Amino acid sequence: MHLPQGMAYALLASLRPVFGLYTSFYPVLIYFIFGTSRHISIGTFAVLSIMVGSVTERLAPDADFIVNGTNGTLGVDLDSRDALRVKVACSVTVLTGIFQILLGVIRFGFVVTYLSQPLVRGYTTGSACHVCVSQLKYLFGVSPARYSGPLSLIYTLVDICGRLPQTQVPELVVSLVSLTVLIVAKEINNYYRKKLPVPIPIELLVIIAATIITHFCELSTKYHIDVVGEIPSGLQAPQVPESTWFLPVIGDAFAIAIVSYAISISLGKTFALKYGYKVDSNQELVALGLSNAVSSFFQCYSVTCSLSRSLVQESTGGKTQVAGVISSIIVLITVLKIGSLFEDLPKAVLSTIVFVNLKGMFRQFMDVPLLWRTNRVDLLVWLVTFVCTILLNLDLGLAVSIAFSMLTVIFRTQRPRYSVLGHVPGTGVYVDTATYRGAREIPGIKIFRSSTTVYYTNAEMYMEALTEKSGIEIGKLLSAKKKRNEQMKRDLEKEKKKAKKEKQKQQTKWGGHQANGGVPVTELNEGSRKTATETSGNPADGKVNWAYQHETTMLDSDSDTGCHGDDIISHISGRSEEEKGRSSGADPHSLVLDVSTSSFVDTVAINTFKNIFRDFGEVNVDVYLAACQACVLEQLETAAFFSESIPKSRVFVTVHDAVLHILKKKKEQQSDCSTVDVSCSTQM
């Protein structure tokens, strides 16, 4: 399979077939030394070949090599063009290898996690369409114009359709015959795969048969069938890739590095899981990078593993990379001795080999109905990746697809599910009251939870959802409190004026008679003022919130006994319908924030929590944090979140502990703690 695929995929890279044979030899030997996967087959691959081909055709187009022909017609200097394309391909390959080595050295193997499975499958499917269109010219024997950049696939397809009347019938016949033979033989291999000791090497047999028929029937001269041409014998001397091409191809090289690694590591981990060994992702990056970087000195282009070759290597008993070494030796023999025998091989036959090997990629269209039923966000990623790859070309399409995939993650964290939790009777479990019918809210206590981490993109929506779900409208309550304070001030002013008038009357009426046993006017006025103050209160001093003063003492007393407040909670939350109706109309006195889903907090999230403590505290609602992870607690301490107004005693290990503490505190405030013991034992 290395021989036919190497020659066929070289055409995708816009290189001569012999460079595909070089690429099937050198990288395999290097990966044998440094790789960790035992089953993957390193070498040419259709997607990478078309990505390299897009670069070589962009930087070395036919238009730059137009020369005058012998009859005054214009032609293309193929030798000069192909030589320059080899230099461009080698520069892309060495830069790809350098990127992969650097990423592996800094242990950046996890970068492939940003390429989700729907993204990779959508991208490879779109790439298969590029491969398919690029090979149509060989099937029909036409010569369309070359396009590059966005929409180049559409332009190329339209141009080929416009040239269909110019189809070379002999080449079309060769293509159809080869395609039929390959498809039938592949189906036979698939149907009898359990009975055949080895698959039928139909691709190699078709190449040999086509070469023999073309040579002895002189099809290339009689019917002008396009053939491979000269294949030099022997290996080329190593050459240093030209660094002048690095800057124009740096973006393409990085995209090729990521795609080749993603394909290789995904297939390698699949085999490792099947056979029970481990694949080191960072070492795979280094091995793949060395395979690309070193082989680029020997005029090879970028490589990765091939699914079809890997499956054949596994099914024929290959258990280590020694199988790859043996295949590379056969390729070496071909290059050294028998490569020239394939000079009369029709390019149309190589194109049909490419078409048949794209079958597995086109099967990925079946992902669409599956994702429609299971996850439509992943379906959207798949479709956007496919469309962007088709319309924007391989490099720009990959960048846009990754950006879109990351945006879907951001949007999903920006739009989480907010819920109010209720207690499951007889347990310490708290679940969403909208989802579980058996969960009951505890009167006076609101337990609020977000389904994702609170950070800068969703902090504002967290506040809005908290206000909506808890039913505590901070703005209205603060306005009402302000009005009450203003009314108290007005009442106090009236009392002062009234007391002043009384004082004046008493002084007028009783002045000079204190010695006769009357009540002193000053004492009377003092008594009046005292009565007025006790009645109305002093708004300037405010009210003492005992929840902030004695919580540490309460926690110490709480930790003396074990948790046995479930029956009390069930009793309180399971009151009669009339009592529940009355309690639902009462304002909550406590708010518990379940932050178990938060894995980190940023500055915006910390400020949001501070505002919640401040705003709800102003309306006499105590706020608690529950189920706070240790890493989040450390970040809160580092950011100086805790203070006198927000003591650390407001943090509880579980929601259940927070609820038990609140109930105990309310009972103590009602001077009825002797009849109820609701305590918790879970310590921070």
Side-chain angles (χ1 to χ4, degrees):
M1 293 185 69
H2 265 298
L3 290 171
Q5 289 188 6
M7 290 189 289
Y9 292 161
L11 298 179
L12 294 178
S14 298
L15 302 174
R16 291 184 177 180
V18 67
F19 296 104
L21 296 179
Y22 297 156
T23 307
S24 299
F25 172 65
Y26 290 106
V28 178
L29 297 179
I30 299 169
Y31 186 84
F32 166 74
I33 300 173
F34 297 99
T36 59
S37 177
R38 304 173 189 172
H39 292 86
I40 63 175
S41 175
I42 292 293
T44 56
F45 186 59
V47 174
L48 251 63
S49 299
I50 196 67
M51 292 180 75
V52 174
S54 66
V55 181
T56 56
E57 290 185 2
R58 186 181 76 240
L59 298 179
D62 290 343
D64 292 349
F65 301 93
I66 300 297
V67 294
N68 292 324
T70 55
N71 298 327
T73 58
L74 298 179
V76 179
D77 186 357
L78 298 179
D79 293 335
S80 300
R81 183 202 66 181
D82 292 344
L84 183 60
R85 287 182 176 179
V86 170
K87 293 179 180 179
V88 173
C90 292
S91 298
V92 173
T93 303
V94 70
L95 202 56
T96 298
I98 292 172
F99 278 133
Q100 291 174 332
I101 293 173
L102 291 177
L103 291 175
V105 168
I106 64 176
R107 309 192 66 80
F108 210 63
F110 68 88
V111 69
V112 74
T113 58
Y114 292 103
L115 302 179
S116 63
Q117 185 180 15
L119 188 147
V120 172
R121 293 176 71 86
Y123 182 77
T124 52
T125 307
S127 301
C129 294
H130 278 274
V131 173
C132 183
V133 172
S134 69
Q135 296 303 292
L136 290 177
K137 60 182 180 181
Y138 298 114
L139 262 67
F140 294 104
V142 296
S143 300
R146 295 183 181 273
Y147 300 93
S148 61
L151 300 179
S152 60
L153 179 72
I154 307 299
Y155 294 145
T156 303
L157 189 59
V158 171
D159 194 5
I160 291 175
C161 292
R163 296 175 185 267
L164 286 180
Q166 306 172 12
T167 299
Q168 299 290 329
V169 177
E171 291 207 20
L172 181 61
V173 172
V174 171
S175 301
L176 293 177
V177 171
S178 302
L179 200 61
T180 303
V181 173
L182 287 169
I183 292 175
V184 171
K186 290 276 187 180
E187 291 300 321
I188 292 175
N189 277 337
N190 187 46
Y191 188 78
Y192 292 103
R193 63 181 181 275
K194 295 182 179 179
K195 298 180 179 180
L196 293 174
V198 292
I200 301 173
I202 187 60
E203 295 171 341
L204 186 60
L205 294 178
V206 167
I207 282 181
I208 295 173
T211 303
I212 294 174
I213 294 172
T214 304
H215 177 74
F216 287 103
C217 296
E218 299 181 351
L219 298 181
S220 59
T221 56
K222 290 182 180 180
Y223 300 102
H224 305 287
I225 291 179
D226 193 11
V227 295
V228 169
E230 181 184 1
I231 298 180
S233 299
L235 300 174
Q236 301 293 320
Q239 297 179 0
V240 179
E242 295 185 6
S243 58
T244 54
W245 295 105
F246 283 179
L247 190 59
V249 303
I250 186 170
D252 302 278
F254 187 77
I256 293 173
I258 297 300
V259 172
S260 64
Y261 173 64
I263 295 171
S264 177
I265 195 65
S266 60
L267 189 58
K269 287 188 174 182
T270 301
F271 283 120
L273 183 65
K274 181 178 180 180
Y275 288 98
Y277 63 91
K278 183 179 179 181
V279 172
D280 188 338
S281 58
N282 294 299
Q283 180 62 29
E284 281 295 297
L285 259 177
V286 174
L288 207 57
L290 288 172
S291 299
N292 282 314
V294 175
S295 61
S296 65
F297 288 82
F298 298 92
Q299 299 182 340
C300 302
Y301 62 91
S302 301
V303 296
T304 188
C305 68
S306 167
L307 176 61
S308 58
R309 288 198 309 270
S310 299
L311 292 175
V312 169
Q313 181 170 302
E314 179 213 12
S315 63
T316 53
K319 297 181 180 180
T320 65
Q321 286 298 324
V322 174
V325 174
I326 295 174
S327 66
S328 65
I329 292 174
I330 298 174
V331 173
L332 176 62
I333 296 173
T334 303
V335 172
L336 293 178
K337 299 297 181 182
I338 62 176
S340 58
L341 299 179
F342 293 102
E343 291 180 355
D344 290 328
L345 173 63
K347 290 184 178 179
V349 175
L350 295 178
S351 297
T352 57
I353 293 174
V354 173
F355 268 104
V356 172
N357 285 312
L358 292 177
K359 178 183 177 182
M361 292 188 185
F362 285 124
R363 279 180 176 172
Q364 293 176 157
F365 278 111
M366 299 305 297
D367 292 349
V368 175
L370 177 63
L371 292 175
W372 174 264
R373 295 191 301 269
T374 57
N375 193 319
R376 297 188 181 181
V377 175
D378 285 344
L379 172 62
L380 188 61
V381 172
W382 195 102
L383 293 175
V384 169
T385 303
F386 176 77
V387 172
C388 289
T389 306
I390 293 291
L391 299 181
L392 302 179
N393 237 343
L394 297 172
D395 47 359
L396 187 59
L398 178 62
V400 174
S401 302
I402 294 175
F404 180 79
S405 179
M406 297 299 294
L407 283 177
T408 60
V409 177
I410 294 174
F411 286 148
R412 277 189 275 189
T413 58
Q414 195 174 2
R415 297 279 183 181
R417 181 175 180 177
Y418 300 105
S419 54
V420 173
L421 306 185
H423 178 247
V424 177
T427 69
V429 178
Y430 295 81
V431 293
D432 187 2
T433 56
T435 306
Y436 298 89
R437 289 178 293 180
R440 300 176 181 177
E441 283 192 55
I442 302 172
I445 303 177
K446 288 290 183 180
I447 307 171
F448 182 74
R449 182 176 65 190
S450 170
S451 62
T452 189
T453 297
V454 182
Y455 66 115
Y456 71 96
T457 64
N458 58 17
E460 184 177 352
M461 283 178 283
Y462 183 85
M463 281 286 292
E464 295 174 356
L466 175 60
T467 303
E468 178 185 352
K469 293 283 187 178
S470 65
I472 305 174
E473 299 183 4
I474 299 295
K476 292 184 178 180
L477 292 176
L478 290 177
S479 299
K481 182 179 179 181
K482 185 178 180 180
K483 291 180 180 179
R484 287 196 302 269
N485 290 338
E486 292 176 352
Q487 184 63 37
M488 291 172 65
K489 287 182 180 180
R490 289 193 295 267
D491 293 342
L492 185 59
E493 290 294 330
K494 289 180 180 180
E495 291 291 337
K496 286 182 178 180
K497 290 179 180 179
K498 185 176 180 181
K500 188 176 181 180
K501 290 180 180 179
E502 288 291 331
K503 180 180 178 181
Q504 292 175 352
K505 290 181 180 180
Q506 293 294 334
Q507 286 177 346
T508 303
K509 185 175 182 180
W510 300 101
H513 297 284
Q514 295 181 12
N516 297 326
V519 180
V521 177
T522 55
E523 293 182 9
L524 178 63
N525 291 334
E526 287 295 335
S528 300
R529 283 196 296 271
K530 183 177 180 181
T531 304
T533 304
E534 291 175 350
T535 304
S536 60
N538 188 355
D541 296 337
K543 294 184 178 180
V544 177
N545 191 339
W546 294 105
Y548 288 92
Q549 304 298 323
H550 300 295
E551 287 181 346
T552 305
T553 306
M554 291 178 184
L555 280 176
D556 293 339
S557 63
D558 287 347
S559 62
D560 294 336
T561 56
C563 291
H564 53 278
D566 296 336
D567 296 335
I568 301 299
I569 297 175
S570 301
H571 172 71
I572 295 174
S573 59
R575 60 181 60 181
S576 65
E577 293 298 327
E578 182 180 356
E579 289 174 332
K580 283 199 290 185
R582 290 200 301 267
S583 66
S584 62
D587 293 331
H589 54 73
S590 299
L591 174 65
V592 180
L593 301 179
D594 182 356
V595 291
S596 57
T597 57
S598 293
S599 58
F600 69 93
V601 285
D602 58 4
T603 306
V604 177
I606 291 173
N607 291 333
T608 300
F609 287 132
K610 285 183 178 179
N611 293 337
I612 291 174
F613 274 87
R614 181 199 64 203
D615 294 342
F616 281 84
E618 289 181 357
V619 295
N620 298 326
V621 175
D622 299 336
V623 183
Y624 301 87
L625 292 179
C628 188
Q629 299 185 38
C631 59
V632 176
L633 191 60
E634 291 175 0
Q635 294 171 8
L636 292 175
E637 291 177 335
T638 304
F641 175 76
F642 299 106
S643 60
E644 292 183 2
S645 59
I646 309 177
K648 198 174 179 181
S649 56
R650 291 293 184 97
V651 181
F652 289 86
V653 177
T654 65
V655 174
H656 192 55
D657 288 338
V659 171
L660 295 178
H661 169 75
I662 294 169
L663 294 177
K664 181 176 178 64
K665 188 180 73 171
K666 299 308 290 185
K667 289 297 181 181
E668 289 178 348
Q669 290 178 352
Q670 297 170 4
S671 300
D672 194 22
C673 62
S674 59
T675 59
V676 178
D677 184 12
V678 183
S679 56
C680 61
S681 61
T682 309
Q683 297 295 308
M684 290 295 291

